[in-house]
Amino acid sequence: MHFDRIWTGGRIATLAEDGPALIERGAVGAVRGRIAFVGAVDDLPEGWTAAETIALDGRLVTPGLIDCHTHLVFAGDRADEFEMRLRGETYETIAAAGGGIVSTVARTRAADEATLVEGALERLDRLMAEGVTAIEVKSGYGLTLDDELKMLRAARALEVRRPVEVVTSLLAAHTIPPERRDDRAGYVAEIIGSIIPAAAAEGLADAVDAFCEDGAFTPAETRAVFQAARAHDLPVRLHADQRTAGGGAALAAEFGALSADHLERTDAQGARAMAAAGTVAVLLPGAFYALRDQEKPPVALFREAGVKMAVATDCNPGSSPLTSILTAMNMAVVLFGLSIDEALAGVTREAARALGRWGDMGSLEVGKACNLAIWDATRPVELVYWLGRNPLHARIFEGEVA
Ligand code: NIG
Ligand code: FE
């Protein structure tokens, strides 16, 4: 066997389903950007050769991390709203007074695609510096056909500019645009009749997302958006049960959603429906933290029902100004009670599942993309233990040091 590149002598956390927790004195070999071998050095096929052999010196190797829920593309910031919340105003009162999502919409509409790309790259670089090799990016700050497509094009441009995999979600159903406030039905009809078909035709959306919430979209409106997604063969995901219990988790499950996200107010029935549908729970502790939420997602219920849990940054300028996946992992264990193993699986295996990409990424298994994070650490707990310390040693994207 001849490898283009092989890493030897590390502690390998494969994250394969039912795999060993760690392979000691392990190796990962790449051929044409894919994993061609993963296992103990002693089990390498006799007579193997490699164009390049890299010594890991006992370092921990994990799959490249996956941030499966972000709003990375936007213009401006909402630091003023952060200060208002520190003075006691809430996310909801600020939104009702014309701030919140719509204030980012105004600035995002005014920005051209190149400006959006530059802003997102600055945030992407921070995520990549912590070993992120794949990222989901949503639209949702355009809320017109042209502005939503502009956002999705900006998201697609990121993977041209950086060695990273981008998965996009069309989130035209993020909030009712201010100019359509008296015409909700008209805006929903536009999403269904115009925005989803155009994004699908141009191949700009890998999935359709919606914000099912008081003050955003009702379950009936969300259902209509999901039916349109289905008609265009696009999978769905949902911002569900974040601020109010609206049956969002069950609604997502009814449509076989890849994921339901936030879920602070999901009940047992919602958890069971998600488990039956294979819908992944994406936990977003950055938003819980920044909004000083008191209600935690029902992690025990998810475990009991057998719901897979992912963890993501929810990077956005309002509810989760967070560009650190390691911090999201720390918050998931400290605030939500996930175990270290669950937090690591949440940014690898389960995040891949939440993106519908488990066949291609999220674990170190032969045939998958050779995306690795190599850490100056020997145990997964060391990735999560410190806040603000980045132990990344090297990041490998499709078999290349990147
Ligand atoms: O995931 N919940 C809705 N959407 C975002 C918030 C976006 C914003 O406030 O700009 C979220 O928290
Ligand atoms: Fe979000």
Side-chain angles (χ1 to χ4, degrees):
M1 187 177 259
H2 181 75
F3 301 107
D4 296 329
R5 203 167 276 114
I6 189 165
W7 292 264
T8 61
R11 309 186 83 208
I12 319 288
T14 68
L15 274 296
E17 201 108 71
D18 308 319
L22 277 178
I23 300 173
E24 301 289 349
R25 273 189 33 83
V28 182
V31 176
R32 283 186 297 279
R34 318 296 296 183
I35 296 173
F37 176 88
V38 56
V41 170
D42 291 344
D43 294 334
L44 272 161
E46 198 112 343
W48 65 271
T49 54
E52 190 182 356
T53 303
I54 298 162
L56 289 166
D57 297 324
R59 290 190 179 89
L60 174 70
V61 180
T62 67
L65 306 189
I66 301 169
D67 193 351
C68 69
H69 180 141
T70 85
H71 306 251
L72 206 72
V73 170
F74 61 84
D77 70 39
R78 306 232 291 275
D80 51 341
E81 293 182 10
F82 178 63
E83 283 196 287
M84 288 162 78
R85 288 205 308 276
L86 294 178
R87 288 196 298 265
E89 296 205 41
T90 68
Y91 190 69
E92 284 74 17
T93 55
I94 292 168
I101 294 168
V102 300
S103 68
T104 299
V105 169
R107 278 172 274 195
T108 302
R109 286 177 176 176
D112 61 15
E113 185 185 318
T115 306
L116 293 177
V117 171
E118 290 309 316
L121 283 175
E122 191 256 343
R123 295 179 279 277
L124 176 60
D125 286 340
R126 293 170 196 270
L127 291 167
M128 286 172 54
E130 292 185 341
V132 168
T133 54
I135 178 174
E136 185 260 13
V137 181
K138 301 173 194 300
S139 66
Y141 295 122
L143 311 185
T144 65
L145 172 63
D146 288 348
D147 291 305
E148 286 292 301
L149 297 187
K150 174 179 73 178
M151 285 191 71
L152 293 174
R153 284 192 199 101
R156 287 277 194 242
L158 299 175
E159 67 182 356
V160 178
R161 298 283 298 275
R162 293 289 187 276
V164 73
E165 174 110 23
V166 172
V167 178
T168 58
S169 300
L170 173 68
L171 180 58
H174 197 187
T175 192
I176 300 287
E179 70 280 5
R180 308 295 288 274
R181 206 158 279 156
D182 300 322
D183 180 29
R184 297 181 67 91
Y187 182 60
V188 173
E190 186 181 336
I191 295 174
I192 291 167
S194 151
I195 304 180
I196 290 176
E202 287 195 42
L204 284 170
D206 297 316
V208 169
D209 195 348
F211 188 18
C212 183
E213 185 63 59
D214 280 0
F217 291 83
T218 66
E221 290 165 341
T222 302
R223 193 171 262 120
V225 169
F226 279 3
Q227 269 150 1
R230 187 179 270 171
H232 289 274
D233 279 330
L234 290 171
V236 298
R237 60 183 77 259
L238 186 64
H239 286 72
D241 304 331
Q242 182 191 8
R243 309 295 286 164
T244 52
L251 174 56
E254 182 190 324
F255 281 83
L258 289 171
S259 71
D261 305 39
H262 289 289
L263 306 173
E264 276 81 354
R265 287 156 181 86
T266 294
D267 59 13
Q269 193 196 335
R272 281 196 297 270
M274 286 176 64
T279 298
V280 176
V282 177
L283 308 183
L284 304 168
F288 169 89
Y289 168 83
L291 299 183
R292 290 179 169 153
D293 202 342
Q294 300 296 320
E295 199 86 44
K296 298 183 186 193
V299 165
L301 280 181
F302 291 146
R303 286 192 192 115
E304 211 176 282
V307 177
K308 313 278 191 194
M309 292 181 282
V311 175
T313 61
D314 194 15
C315 176
N316 76 68
S319 64
S320 187
L322 174 62
T323 57
S324 167
I325 190 89
L326 295 177
T327 302
M329 292 166 73
N330 174 283
M331 288 177 171
V333 300
V334 173
L335 301 176
F336 291 171
L338 264 63
S339 69
I340 299 294
D341 287 347
E342 285 172 329
L344 180 57
V347 297
T348 54
R349 181 174 65 224
E350 307 314 340
R353 233 192 286 270
L355 296 181
R357 302 297 299 278
W358 172 237
D360 192 54
M361 58 168 86
S363 68
L364 305 182
E365 293 179 88
V366 170
K368 289 199 178 186
C370 186
N371 297 342
L372 314 176
I374 303 174
W375 305 95
D376 279 321
T378 56
R379 295 177 301 156
V381 65
E382 294 166 51
L383 311 185
V384 181
Y385 165 46
W386 285 94
L387 267 176
R389 175 172 181 268
N390 178 8
L392 189 76
H393 171 75
R395 180 187 171 282
I396 312 301
F397 182 72
E398 295 179 350
E400 306 283 336
V401 180

